[in-house]
Amino acid sequence: MKWRRLNGDPIDTIKTKVEETIIKEIADGHKLKVCIGTDSQVKGSIVEFACVIVFLREKKGGFMYINNYRMEKNDMSLKRRMILEVSRSVEVAYSLCDVFDRYDVELEIHADINTDPYFASNKALKEAMGYILGMGFVFKAKPDAFASSSCADKVV
């Protein structure tokens, strides 16, 4: 799993980088919140995904770390793609939650799923919400899920 900064600089070990980042930001006097989200786009027979870890400094902006990857589409339904996005975000959050807990950093998982039943992605809302909440994380969906619907969307 290769992570990078928005400027393209590679990140060797994401867990180490996240902890270093938290230590530095707290030392600089920032109160942090982290939002993790994933988005995807179908491009021919490939589905491209982008997972982001967004660091928000209270009233001082933010920044993100990015991981891009691809999968064969193989007749993947929209619902399955939405659940894959959510599972990727949960996987990343779970691998880092001990660091967030150690430094008392608030964590949210954002799902690129619409709460309006008239949108196709809504078919995955109940399963995604149950999965995220069942893992003990805070869940946000559109329109509040900016990490997936805005940040990850821009880098997929």
Side-chain angles (χ1 to χ4, degrees), residues 5 11 17 19 27 31 43 47 57 61 71 73 79 82 86 88 108 117 139-140:
R5 296 183 58 104
I11 296 170
K17 184 65 173 177
E19 186 162 18
K31 179 167 174 31
K43 297 180 180 179
V47 180
R57 299 177 186 117
M71 293 178 74
K73 185 172 182 243
K79 183 176 180 178
M82 298 293 106
V86 167
R88 178 67 173 143
E108 296 177 352
F139 169 79
K140 297 284 182 175

Side-chain angles (χ1 to χ4, degrees), residues 95-125:
S95 72
L96 299 170
C97 65
D98 62 320
V99 176
F100 299 133
D101 289 345
R102 188 175 312 128
Y103 296 97
D104 197 28
V105 174
E106 185 181 345
L107 172 65
E108 296 177 352
I109 294 184
H110 292 191
D112 191 31
I113 297 174
N114 208 303
T115 54
D116 186 334
Y118 293 105
F119 288 86
S121 67
N122 183 265
K123 293 177 185 174
L125 181 64

Side-chain angles (χ1 to χ4, degrees), residues 46-60:
I46 301 290
V47 180
E48 292 192 11
F49 292 86
C51 182
V52 297
I53 302 169
V54 180
F55 290 83
L56 297 175
R57 299 177 186 117
E58 189 174 85
K59 299 180 184 179
K60 302 250 176 152

Side-chain angles (χ1 to χ4, degrees), residues 8 20 23 29 36 44 46 48 55 63-64 70 74 76 89 107 109 120 124 129 139 145 147 150:
E20 289 170 354
I23 291 168
I36 297 175
I46 301 290
E48 292 192 11
F55 290 83
F63 56 95
M64 65 183 172
R70 297 171 160 207
N74 296 333
M76 185 185 303
S89 296
L107 172 65
I109 294 184
M129 188 182 335
F139 169 79
S150 294

Side-chain angles (χ1 to χ4, degrees), residues 11-22:
I11 296 170
D12 290 328
T13 308
I14 192 62
K15 191 167 190 169
T16 302
K17 184 65 173 177
V18 165
E19 186 162 18
E20 289 170 354
T21 299
I22 291 170

